[in-house]
Amino acid sequence: MTNGRMFLLVVLLLGSGEVNFASRHLRGEDLGSSSSQQIFKRRILPIFQAAKPSSCTECHLSGVDLKQYIRPNQADTFAALRQARLIDVDNPEASKILTFIERAPDDPNPVTQEIREKELSAFRAWILAAVKDSSLLSNEGKPQPAGPTLPVEVIRHARKDRVMASFIDNIWTEVGRCAACHSPDRNQKQVAEHGEEVSWIVLNDPQATLKYMLDADLINPKQPRQSLLLTKPTLQVEHGGGQKMLVGDRSYKQFRRFLDDYAATVRGTYQTADQLPRASDEVSNVTEIWLKLDGIPAKYDKKLLQVDLYRETDAGWSEHRVATSDRAVFGAKGLWQHSLSVTAPRDSAQAKRLSDGKLPPGKYLMRIYIDAADKLQSDPSAELGKDELVGEVEINSRWPAGYGKMTKARFPVD
Ligand code: HEC
Ligand code: HEC
């Protein structure tokens, strides 16, 4: 066989995906040197075949993996990466695929960082060798394109920074409700009685808190509704703190929004952009301002009562509610009391000021809703509306913070 025909045969074999036979051929030819084919087989193929996820998953919870950039044979891999402009044949060290792999969070997980460095040195060694291989350079095959196949919106949705933002929006802003017993700066008594694991809030650190919740199985990514984070405070299972949420109340809805979405994201459920959940129209923040209603008829015992507050403006009552609160009625004493959450339309100027947890003194309209028919129990995603509106009351308050300084009002007689 002449050299020319041998060359052609190798190209054909590579192109048709006969990795083993082709590499045996090349090894015989290049004995002792590190041919690109040897490097591909020894260092790139194992990444392709690995059961474990690649380093990309440290920032992309699903949808993206280094495997998507590898084809079962070297020729297709090279051609696909080159066509995607991820390999720079003139300046191989500057190949974009290397920049991709090198990307790491500020504080990478040491195990993942080790995987990342291995991936990087494998790809660098292979690319440096491959760009010298004239058979690869002249290959004009049309392999399947390199990279993820999902729409870019789905890939963006599954990015860890986006997932964190949703966690902060939906859960972190609510944990103030649970802090008295679950935050390490406030729960010495609970720890003495129940042990360290009662401290599931990591102070001022939402990222570490989410990680803790996952590690301690407080979040169940397979069955998000069964997460202890939901079933404990709603008393669907026994809870040392008693009932802190009702199925369908605002906190519950927010917890569910995050948990359902998180589960779908890590499982890679979303395939198209219109399957992605929309963010809520409103943002909120828990405050230390308390509101109490008394004189509530006993028939409303244990029913969810929701108060929305509208602020007086020159043009009448504000268009959007500026605060809200919901909790079960305590029928035996005819009362209801709870802390307020301040609210604002997402992306409004007001939304940026919610974190101070204040409500300006002045005149407000309270709209009071009661879920007398337990509508939210059967459909936790429903909202209370006209059918549940039981009354409106004007109220004037300076809205001081603290349980001992709560604003008091009388339930309107119906
Ligand atoms: C340190 C976190 C981090 C790591 C690790 C990471 N990425 Fe990304 N990736 C991002 C961010 C952030 C973006 C959003 C666009 C940008 O900022 O470049 C992104 C965007 C992307 C996109 C484009 C989607 C879009 O928004 O247009 C792809 C594809 C991608 N990354 C693939 C990968 C692959 C493959 C790996 C592993 C080799 C990886 N990423 C590792 C953070 C990361
Ligand atoms: C008045 C105190 C108190 C409040 C407030 C409270 N809890 Fe608890 N919680 C406890 C106690 C005590 C335990 C430990 C006993 C148990 O597991 O029920 C506990 C346990 C838990 C656990 C299980 C922790 C583990 O590692 O097993 C979860 C999850 C939980 N609570 C969620 C919540 C949520 C969510 C809130 C706020 C909406 C909340 N709790 C508010 C007292 C409280």
Side-chain angles (χ1 to χ4, degrees), residues 54-60 63-69 97 99-106 112 116 119 147-148 152-153 155-156 159-162:
S54 64
S55 64
C56 317
T57 53
E58 196 170 11
C59 298
H60 297 272
V64 171
D65 196 287
L66 193 50
K67 295 178 184 66
Q68 297 160 336
Y69 296 80
I97 185 82
T99 328
F100 252 30
I101 301 171
E102 213 166 8
R103 185 170 206 167
D106 293 338
T112 315
R116 180 173 293 119
E119 292 166 350
V152 70
E153 294 86 348
I155 292 173
R156 287 180 186 160
R159 243 167 46 206
K160 202 169 260 178
D161 54 336
R162 300 285 185 98

Side-chain angles (χ1 to χ4, degrees), residues 154-335:
V154 175
I155 292 173
R156 287 180 186 160
H157 185 78
R159 243 167 46 206
K160 202 169 260 178
D161 54 336
R162 300 285 185 98
V163 172
M164 259 333 286
S166 162
F167 177 77
I168 291 172
D169 219 29
N170 290 306
I171 294 192
W172 185 251
T173 52
E174 297 288 308
V175 296
R177 294 238 146 100
C178 325
C181 305
H182 292 299
S183 185
D185 59 330
R186 289 170 63 181
N187 69 352
Q188 283 81 357
K189 227 182 86 200
Q190 305 288 339
V191 168
E193 208 174 310
H194 299 278
E196 287 294 341
E197 69 268 20
V198 80
S199 300
W200 50 252
I201 296 173
V202 182
L203 208 57
N204 301 324
D205 193 341
Q207 192 167 335
T209 300
L210 174 57
K211 184 176 183 315
Y212 181 89
M213 286 175 173
L214 290 164
D215 292 345
D217 290 331
L218 304 185
I219 290 178
N220 180 341
K222 295 210 174 76
Q223 289 174 293
R225 281 171 218 191
Q226 301 307 318
S227 299
L228 286 177
L229 202 57
L230 280 177
T231 55
K232 283 263 174 190
T234 49
L235 279 188
Q236 290 167 293
V237 302
E238 206 183 317
H239 177 221
Q243 184 160 54
K244 292 290 162 227
M245 273 177 167
L246 285 182
V247 171
D249 74 13
R250 201 182 48 83
S251 303
Y252 179 90
K253 282 195 178 78
Q254 289 194 192
F255 277 42
R256 272 287 295 278
R257 187 177 288 132
F258 176 79
L259 293 168
D260 290 350
D261 183 34
Y262 182 84
T265 300
V266 292
R267 286 204 310 260
T269 306
Y270 303 124
Q271 298 294 313
T272 63
D274 42 275
Q275 288 169 343
L276 298 172
R278 267 169 31 89
S280 62
D281 298 332
E282 186 183 65
V283 288
S284 65
N285 198 37
V286 175
T287 73
E288 298 288 333
I289 304 167
W290 282 73
L291 175 64
K292 174 176 174 171
L293 294 175
D294 59 14
I296 304 173
K299 66 177 177 185
Y300 292 131
D301 186 34
K302 297 199 175 64
K303 302 295 182 187
L304 183 76
L305 184 154
Q306 174 182 323
V307 176
D308 289 348
L309 290 173
Y310 294 81
R311 192 179 172 196
E312 184 181 49
T313 72
D314 294 340
W317 302 116
S318 58
E319 186 186 346
H320 298 279
R321 64 181 183 184
V322 293
T324 187
S325 183
D326 55 5
R327 196 176 195 181
V329 171
F330 183 40
K333 293 213 162 147
L335 70 80

Side-chain angles (χ1 to χ4, degrees), residues 14-64:
L14 286 169
S16 65
E18 297 281 342
V19 180
N20 290 334
F21 183 58
S23 66
R24 223 178 295 137
H25 246 274
L26 278 175
R27 206 181 296 151
E29 205 176 37
D30 295 345
L31 206 65
S33 79
S34 268
S35 76
S36 61
Q37 174 58 25
Q38 277 177 311
I39 300 171
F40 184 80
K41 195 178 168 207
R42 247 186 320 113
R43 301 177 66 181
I44 305 292
L45 267 188
I47 299 173
F48 182 59
Q49 289 156 345
K52 280 203 190 131
S54 64
S55 64
C56 317
T57 53
E58 196 170 11
C59 298
H60 297 272
L61 291 192
S62 62
V64 171

Side-chain angles (χ1 to χ4, degrees), residues 361-364 394-399 407:
K363 204 185 209 186
Y364 288 76
E394 284 182 25
I395 184 171
N396 219 312
S397 178
R398 289 178 40 251
W399 304 112
T407 296

